[in-house]
């Protein structure tokens, strides 16, 4: 059973606009959430994280929002750039790390 | 800067062959992981290890085994490769199980 879900397999956004990637989870014991970015033929790289005691964490163009009551987190990228085109995985941690299925973001120049 | 390396970027093997995938990390991390990534299925955990000679099954351990004889090295073994093991294999390491995992570049395995 998938404990971390990314319901949108793909997303296309115009350069300069905001990209919003969504992630839902089912396990209320998750206390740490991460986003990874993956380019083709490369391993995922860590992007940004958030602890369950916070509801927002910002790093440059990237902001992660956590809504614990809704068991939902989102990644906002603004402004989106063509180099942001990649697959984005969300992950949630309790005793282990659980990954979502990924969302392929395409930023159109 | 954490570095995780994997022995091969691309491998082509025949059904029934024994396959070894090697992973080395240079950050003295306790924990190492093997995942496979398939379209629409995300990253699925095969095995992980929290210490030398220790291993735990992940979500999909069937058809795989692992070896961790040294802290920096974690090997994934396909005893008898099958076509449904064609996939991208990713190794990762982390300081603790819950914390950020650092991934290698991946090995794309094709089993014919």
């Amino acid at each position: 059973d998938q404990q971390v879900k990314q319901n949108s397999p793909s997303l296309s956004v115009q350069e300069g606009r905001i990209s919003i990637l969504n992630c839902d989870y089912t396990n209320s014991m998750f206390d740490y959430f991460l986003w990874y970015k993956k380019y083709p033929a490369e391993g995922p790289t860590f992007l940004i994280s958030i602890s369950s005691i916070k509801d927002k964490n910002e790093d440059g163009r990237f902001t992660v929002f956590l809504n614990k009551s809704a068991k939902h987190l989102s990644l906002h990228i603004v402004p989106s750039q063509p180099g942001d085109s990649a697959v984005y995985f969300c992950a949630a941690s309790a005793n282990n790390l659980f990954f979502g299925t990924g969302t392929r973001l395409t930023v159109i120049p | 800067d954490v570095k995780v390396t994997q022995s091969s970027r691309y491998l082509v093997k025949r059904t029934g062959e024994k396959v070894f995938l090697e992973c080395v990390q240079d950050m003295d991390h306790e924990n190492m992981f093997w995942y496979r990534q398939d379209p629409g299925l995300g990253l699925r955990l095969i095995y992980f290890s929290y210490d030398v000679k220790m291993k735990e099954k992940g979500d999909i351990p069937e058809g795989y085994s692992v070896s961790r004889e040294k802290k920096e090295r974690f090997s994934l073994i396909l005893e008898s490769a099958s076509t449904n093991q064609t996939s991208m294999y990713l190794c990762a390491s982390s300081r603790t199980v819950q914390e950020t995992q650092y991934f290698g570049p991946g090995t794309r395995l094709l089993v014919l």
Side-chain angles (χ1 to χ4, degrees):
Chain A
D1 190 27
Q2 195 78 21
Q3 296 193 52
V4 180
K5 298 179 184 177
Q6 294 176 257
N7 291 317
S8 298
S10 63
L11 174 68
S12 291
V13 171
Q14 288 285 337
E15 181 178 4
R17 300 287 187 106
I18 185 170
S19 296
I20 301 176
L21 297 107
N22 293 302
C23 181
D24 297 292
Y25 61 95
T26 58
N27 189 343
S28 57
M29 298 300 292
F30 289 143
D31 58 3
Y32 189 60
F33 303 88
L34 308 92
W35 283 93
Y36 285 83
K37 177 180 178 179
K38 185 182 185 299
Y39 291 117
E42 294 184 15
T45 54
F46 169 73
L47 191 57
I48 192 169
S49 64
I50 188 167
S51 163
S52 61
I53 62 173
K54 293 187 172 183
D55 55 18
K56 177 182 174 181
N57 188 27
E58 193 172 349
D59 183 4
R61 296 185 297 115
F62 302 91
T63 303
V64 56
F65 295 92
L66 176 63
N67 182 334
K68 288 188 289 294
S69 60
K71 295 192 178 68
H72 177 83
L73 71 155
S74 60
L75 174 68
H76 292 210
I77 307 172
V78 56
S80 301
Q81 299 173 353
D84 297 329
S85 297
V87 177
Y88 290 79
F89 291 98
C90 68
S93 171
N95 292 321
N96 285 329
L97 197 60
F98 296 86
F99 285 87
T101 53
T103 297
R104 181 177 299 279
L105 173 65
T106 302
V107 180
I108 304 162
Chain B
D1 209 20
V2 178
K3 189 158 186 186
V4 180
T5 56
Q6 294 182 229
S7 51
S8 305
R9 295 299 302 272
Y10 301 95
L11 273 180
V12 181
K13 296 291 181 181
R14 297 212 172 269
T15 301
E17 280 193 79
K18 192 168 185 175
V19 182
F20 291 88
L21 303 181
E22 298 271 311
C23 175
V24 177
Q25 50 95 4
D26 66 357
M27 279 302 291
D28 202 36
H29 283 168
E30 303 292 335
N31 301 278
M32 296 187 75
F33 308 82
W34 275 106
Y35 294 89
R36 61 179 282 178
Q37 184 202 355
D38 300 289
L41 297 176
L43 275 69
R44 293 182 292 167
L45 181 65
I46 304 171
Y47 267 97
F48 70 98
S49 168
Y50 53 89
D51 202 353
V52 175
K53 296 192 186 296
M54 307 302 286
K55 61 185 180 185
E56 291 285 342
K57 293 180 180 179
D59 300 321
I60 51 164
E62 296 79 17
Y64 303 94
S65 62
V66 290
S67 172
R68 186 133 181 238
E69 296 296 319
K70 294 184 178 181
K71 191 175 186 180
E72 68 271 16
R73 190 179 297 268
F74 192 34
S75 302
L76 180 70
I77 303 148
L78 288 65
E79 294 288 344
S80 177
S82 62
T83 55
N84 63 11
Q85 292 178 311
T86 291
S87 187
M88 168 74 104
Y89 289 88
L90 293 157
C91 174
S93 74
S94 68
R95 193 167 61 89
T96 70
V97 176
Q98 296 94 329
E99 289 186 8
T100 302
Q101 293 182 14
Y102 296 89
F103 284 83
T107 297
R108 188 166 291 283
L109 173 67
L110 173 63
V111 182
L112 299 173

